Amino acid sequence: MAVIQLSPFSKKVIETILKIPTGKVATYKQIAELAGKPQGSRGVSWILHSCSTTYKLPWHRVLNSQGRISFDVGSRNYREQKRKLEKEGVEFAAEGKLDLRKFQWSKRPAKSKSQASKPKMFS
């Protein structure tokens, strides 16, 4: 079996997803921001798809920015993700959306130090 070399971003995404607490969710964008690439939401999705089994990721805790499961409603994956989240105490409204204010993991990226004193050409 070939060993796959992970990028620093992939490693950080995996580490971050592993830290999402039981009963909480994170968005693809939130994970991308915490991993240092705010525009990397699609990359987070790809990493979840390709690495969840190998790294035993709690993939079910990652949702889209509207608080919805990204799989097609009624699909096997949708039902499995919803079941796993409900088992952890996450509640969904009738339209399949959850309240991110209540269930979203509160972890946020660290604020970077002010770049005000740095000339633009070096930032």
Side-chain angles (χ1 to χ4, degrees):
M1 183 160 121
V3 177
I4 298 172
Q5 193 71 357
L6 295 174
S7 71
F9 175 69
S10 295
K11 288 178 186 174
K12 187 71 174 161
V13 166
I14 290 167
E15 290 169 9
T16 303
I17 292 169
L18 287 168
K19 292 178 183 174
I20 304 170
T22 301
K24 293 293 182 182
V25 299
T27 65
Y28 294 99
K29 180 177 174 53
Q30 179 183 3
I31 298 298
E33 289 172 346
L34 289 166
K37 282 194 177 180
Q39 304 303 319
S41 299
R42 285 183 184 239
V44 171
S45 176
W46 185 88
I47 292 163
L48 272 170
H49 173 74
S50 61
C51 297
S52 285
T53 303
T54 304
Y55 294 94
K56 297 178 175 49
L57 298 177
W59 60 271
H60 61 285
R61 296 182 188 146
V62 183
L63 303 174
N64 70 27
S65 60
Q66 288 83 45
R68 296 181 186 277
I69 293 172
S70 294
F71 294 111
D72 290 333
V73 175
S75 68
R76 182 183 61 79
N77 289 333
Y78 178 93
R79 290 190 309 271
E80 181 180 0
Q81 187 171 8
K82 187 174 181 191
R83 181 186 53 77
K84 285 180 175 226
L85 287 169
E86 288 175 334
K87 189 175 178 182
E88 292 183 0
V90 175
E91 301 164 356
F92 288 84
E95 74 278 1
K97 187 175 179 181
L98 61 84
D99 184 352
L100 287 174
R101 290 172 301 190
K102 182 175 181 180
F103 294 106
Q104 186 172 13
W105 185 30
S106 61
K107 181 84 171 154
R108 295 285 176 249
K111 298 213 188 271
S112 61
K113 293 181 183 174
S114 175
Q115 299 285 323
S117 62
K118 221 181 210 181
K120 290 273 188 213
M121 61 191 238
F122 295 112
S123 47

